[in-house]
Amino acid sequence: MASSLVNKNIIVINTIDKIRKQVKTLKSNNKTIGLVPTMGALHDGHASLIKKAAQECDEVVVSIFVNPTQFGLNEDLDKYPRQLKHDIEICKVNGASLIFAPSDKEIYPENKHLTYVVPSKYYQNKLCGLTRQGHFNGVATIVLKLFNIITPDQAFFGLKDAQQLIIIKKMCQDLNVPVKILECPIIRDTDGLALSSRNAYLTESGRFKATTVNKFLFKIKELYNSGLQNKEEILKIALKQLDATVKLEYLEFLSLESFSEIDLLEKNTLIAVAANVDNVRLIDNIVI
Ligand code: PAF
């Protein structure tokens, strides 16, 4: 049975011992547990994951932890937005019952000589993994730790971070992790821009330029639906949508199943971009 109550009293837990005890009690009452792992700064994209989890599971745990091991040396971990009060509200109104918000010390008590989960280079050396060396080791490690701590039946991830989703699915398959991974669609604003905490850094004109990235992706889909399959032919037309100042960091056409490169588009092709718009790095993708 799915949990239907919104606005109920939410419990915020900071320690591994306490969350384990809570989960144990819930499981002894035959409740199914859904986990939505986050780094906080929650927006409507996260809200949709929480809602979906509340539809699918009896109880929803949202983890809020800005994971230091997935940040590179040049990436500003300290500036990452932290807004627990606001996040608690979003969890509450969307049907979560528990928030797990541990400290760095709780998760990495001895922050040295750590054991990492290292996803295959095949999956890492593409898309965001190319410029964010080590990022997915940190992501896979914290996700497996959260799975071991919370032991959810299902965990919910957004398709916006497609590479993360694919890597986590593969990790669960390869390491026999008994958690069902559910993917949720990208949530877009009315102008089509994929929701991201980084959109807040855009000026009005930057935002307009940013929307040319989603227009570009949707043009690709439109061309494919009209019968074109050849990547180069499609790009020749679709690239005209992009604002001239938008710099593409990567643009890849990959099979969603095998993660190999695609030249002739077919069903389940992932088209993923990272773009620099007025010095704001945005990612977006579509699956056809
Ligand atoms: O997508 C995120 O917010 C993070 O990468 C995740 C999955 C919560 C791990 O820290």
Side-chain angles (χ1 to χ4, degrees):
M1 195 188 62
S3 106
S4 54
L5 268 184
V6 293
N7 260 326
K8 58 187 171 183
N9 284 337
I10 200 155
I11 306 173
V12 182
I13 293 173
N14 306 113
T15 69
I16 294 172
D17 261 9
K18 282 191 185 146
I19 190 82
R20 281 202 162 128
K21 276 188 191 130
Q22 285 283 346
V23 169
K24 199 172 170 193
T25 308
L26 292 174
K27 286 199 167 178
S28 68
N29 288 320
N30 287 325
K31 302 284 187 200
T32 56
I33 312 281
L35 171 66
V36 181
T38 81
M39 297 208 298
L42 304 184
H43 51 60
D44 285 352
H46 299 107
S48 79
L49 296 177
I50 301 169
K51 263 191 208 141
K52 175 82 181 153
Q55 282 163 9
E56 299 288 326
C57 303
D58 297 321
E59 303 288 342
V60 178
V61 182
V62 177
S63 64
I64 298 179
F65 178 64
V66 183
N67 173 40
T69 62
Q70 70 188 74
F71 284 77
L73 287 177
N74 55 344
E75 297 177 38
D76 213 343
L77 168 65
D78 297 335
K79 281 216 179 107
Y80 199 87
R82 287 156 172 91
Q83 42 189 56
L84 189 60
K85 259 194 182 159
H86 155 96
D87 292 345
I88 292 173
E89 274 317 300
I90 295 206
C91 291
K92 229 182 193 177
V93 298
N94 289 289
S97 36
L98 293 171
I99 293 177
F100 178 50
S103 65
D104 286 8
K105 257 213 147 135
E106 184 70 13
I107 294 294
Y108 299 112
E110 284 197 28
N111 197 8
K112 53 185 177 187
H113 315 308
L114 288 175
T115 301
Y116 275 90
V117 177
V118 181
S120 158
K121 284 206 167 26
Y122 178 78
Y123 289 93
Q124 294 218 45
N125 289 347
K126 291 181 166 109
L127 309 175
C128 294
L130 276 176
T131 46
R132 303 188 73 186
Q133 287 298 317
H135 169 70
F136 288 110
N137 297 345
V139 170
T141 302
I142 187 63
V143 170
L144 187 61
K145 277 166 79 71
L146 291 168
F147 286 179
N148 286 335
I149 293 166
I150 294 158
T151 63
D153 299 284
Q154 303 188 23
F156 297 78
F157 294 87
L159 196 52
K160 170 139 188 294
D161 296 304
Q163 189 173 17
Q164 167 171 287
L165 174 72
I166 287 164
I167 284 177
I168 288 166
K169 274 190 172 169
K170 186 76 168 75
M171 172 187 82
C172 290
Q173 193 183 320
D174 291 349
L175 301 182
N176 306 94
V177 182
V179 177
K180 186 173 171 197
I181 305 299
L182 273 101
E183 56 190 66
C184 301
I186 295 178
I187 304 296
R188 297 182 181 277
D189 245 322
T190 44
D191 57 5
L193 193 63
L195 291 192
S196 157
S197 328
R198 289 200 172 132
N199 295 350
Y201 303 140
L202 293 166
T203 60
E204 201 179 315
S205 79
R207 187 171 175 110
F208 179 76
K209 292 176 198 167
T211 61
T212 68
V213 176
N214 46 270
K215 285 186 184 124
F216 161 64
L217 289 173
F218 281 100
K219 187 74 187 173
I220 293 176
K221 192 171 188 165
E222 185 191 309
L223 292 167
Y224 171 77
N225 287 340
S226 73
L228 282 187
Q229 271 188 291
N230 183 290
K231 175 179 144 185
E232 296 310 325
E233 277 176 40
I234 289 178
L235 281 180
K236 229 187 226 169
I237 306 170
L239 276 168
K240 290 184 189 144
Q241 298 286 327
L242 262 191
D243 183 272
T245 64
V246 171
K247 292 182 210 98
L248 290 184
E249 182 192 293
Y250 63 69
L251 164 63
E252 293 194 44
F253 290 63
L254 299 169
S255 153
L256 204 53
E257 276 114 38
S258 66
F259 220 43
S260 58
E261 278 179 36
I262 295 261
D263 286 322
L264 266 190
L265 275 68
E266 56 190 22
K267 204 167 179 300
N268 282 333
T269 301
L270 167 75
I271 300 132
V273 288
N276 185 302
V277 182
D278 293 350
N279 289 326
V280 182
R281 184 180 184 275
L282 300 173
I283 61 168
D284 198 354
N285 69 67
I286 49 161
V287 176
I288 56 164

